[in-house]
Amino acid sequence: MIQFQNQHITVFQSALYMTTSAIIQAEDAVIMTDPTWLPKEIETIRACIDEMIGDRQLYIIYTHSDFDHIIGAGAFPEAKVIATKVFQQNPNKKAVLREIEAFDQMYYLKRNYKSIYPSADIVVTRDVQTLRLGKVTLTFYLAPGHTKDSLFTVIEPYGIFLAGDYLSDVEFPFIFSNYKDYVQTIRTAEQILHHHSIRILVPGHGTTTQSEEEIVSRLHFSKYYLEELPLDNESLIDVLREKYTFFEGMKSIHFDNASRVVRERDK
């Protein structure tokens, strides 16, 4: 279940959709992202937090409000929550909770906590908003496109880039919100790589990497995909099938992306 680990960060990976939960240890705080998915997985993450926390404050960054990323929120009632203003003001909070309930009903899952939609204690409203936790600085960037409320976080001096559902090695861009926003967010990611010394990239789904070449490759492929998508290029499907092991399971999202581009263009 532990996908990646060094002295500062432990990344857990769920059996479902290769979803990640990162735990970063700082001198004055413990910072986590998106505790997820299955009950036993969240219990393992909870036990890890309990073992390391000591007298430090726990912070949880919710990268966005898709139900798989907030499903473990109720297991960490003591945490201070960090999320975007759009996440905080989401009018569909009850619908997200219904998705969690439907998932647990479908798979007969019981949890030892009540599912909740997290309420943000620290609300991110702008790019380059920062939070200082002792010797560690968190820099936030709004990242709409996958969802309206998505968030990038850079943690320094560790050089950790928490990318949410962007820059994955197992998923092409999933555009659930807005194509033009997604294009701009990839530009934001490129600016982050230019302005910060990034040494570790943690995607919301897929593999954590320390390779600068791999990080740049993921960025460039996202740009390529977004450029090709409006062209109705049939060969793009062949590229995706070759690149992504699980493409057959998610190809409908590619067609949804293409339809979204058409709808936005025709407005």
Side-chain angles (χ1 to χ4, degrees):
M1 189 178 177
I2 292 179
Q3 177 202 90
F4 177 89
Q5 190 170 42
N6 68 17
Q7 66 185 104
H8 300 301
I9 182 171
T10 301
V11 181
F12 289 89
Q13 183 183 80
S14 173
L16 296 180
Y17 301 105
M18 297 179 70
T19 315
T20 63
S21 300
I23 301 173
I24 298 97
Q25 291 200 67
E27 186 175 331
D28 299 291
V30 174
I31 305 155
M32 179 164 60
T33 61
D34 302 343
T36 190
W37 252 94
L38 299 172
K40 288 295 183 184
E41 293 172 340
I42 293 170
E43 287 174 21
T44 299
I45 295 169
R46 175 76 259 185
C48 178
I49 292 291
D50 289 343
E51 183 176 345
M52 71 171 58
I53 193 73
D55 59 359
R56 292 175 291 183
Q57 175 65 51
L58 174 64
Y59 293 81
I60 299 182
I61 300 166
Y62 288 99
T63 64
H64 60 296
S65 61
D66 282 347
F67 86 92
D68 55 322
H69 290 261
I70 72 158
I71 199 166
F76 303 90
E78 79 281 22
K80 288 190 176 181
V81 169
I82 301 170
T84 65
K85 182 178 181 181
V86 180
F87 179 103
Q88 178 76 346
Q89 296 180 343
N90 185 356
N92 300 312
K93 294 176 183 179
K94 291 183 179 179
V96 175
L97 291 175
R98 285 196 295 270
E99 288 184 277
I100 294 173
E101 175 64 19
F103 175 80
D104 286 352
Q105 285 285 320
M106 179 176 293
Y107 296 105
Y108 308 166
L109 296 175
K110 293 182 178 180
R111 300 180 185 272
N112 60 7
Y113 59 89
K114 181 180 179 181
S115 295
I116 62 168
Y117 187 100
S119 179
D121 301 288
I122 299 166
V123 179
V124 179
T125 60
R126 65 186 187 278
D127 286 340
V128 204
Q129 183 173 328
T130 60
L131 173 65
R132 184 83 175 179
L133 300 175
K135 297 178 182 178
V136 171
T137 300
L138 283 62
T139 305
F140 305 108
Y141 295 85
L142 303 178
H146 173 67
T147 60
K148 292 180 180 179
D149 57 10
S150 292
L151 177 66
F152 286 156
T153 306
V154 176
I155 300 181
E156 294 167 314
Y158 308 144
I160 297 170
F161 181 7
L162 304 171
D165 281 9
Y166 295 89
L167 304 181
S168 172
D169 62 329
V170 296
E171 295 178 347
F172 53 85
F174 285 13
I175 310 169
F176 294 158
S177 175
N178 182 278
Y179 170 78
K180 291 181 180 178
D181 284 349
Y182 204 115
V183 170
Q184 180 55 51
T185 288
I186 292 302
R187 292 190 188 120
T188 299
E190 192 166 30
Q191 292 167 5
I192 287 170
L193 297 185
H194 286 158
H195 295 148
H196 298 272
S197 179
I198 300 301
R199 297 190 292 278
I200 300 172
L201 169 71
V202 185
H205 301 268
T207 309
T208 301
T209 182
Q210 298 181 92
S211 166
E212 181 179 355
E213 181 180 359
E214 172 65 15
I215 294 169
V216 172
S217 174
R218 294 186 195 183
L219 177 74
H220 285 173
F221 188 84
S222 292
K223 291 173 68 175
Y224 164 79
Y225 177 83
L226 295 167
E227 289 166 359
E228 292 293 316
L229 188 60
L231 303 180
D232 194 24
N233 182 356
E234 292 186 5
S235 65
L236 182 57
I237 294 177
D238 294 330
V239 173
L240 295 172
R241 184 174 286 115
E242 176 68 22
K243 185 174 180 64
Y244 296 105
T245 302
F246 304 106
F247 176 72
E248 293 303 322
M250 56 188 177
K251 64 182 177 182
S252 64
I253 295 173
H254 167 67
F255 295 117
D256 289 344
N257 287 347
S259 296
R260 184 177 298 279
V261 170
V262 172
R263 290 196 303 272
E264 288 186 29
R265 184 179 60 205
D266 292 344
K267 280 185 178 179

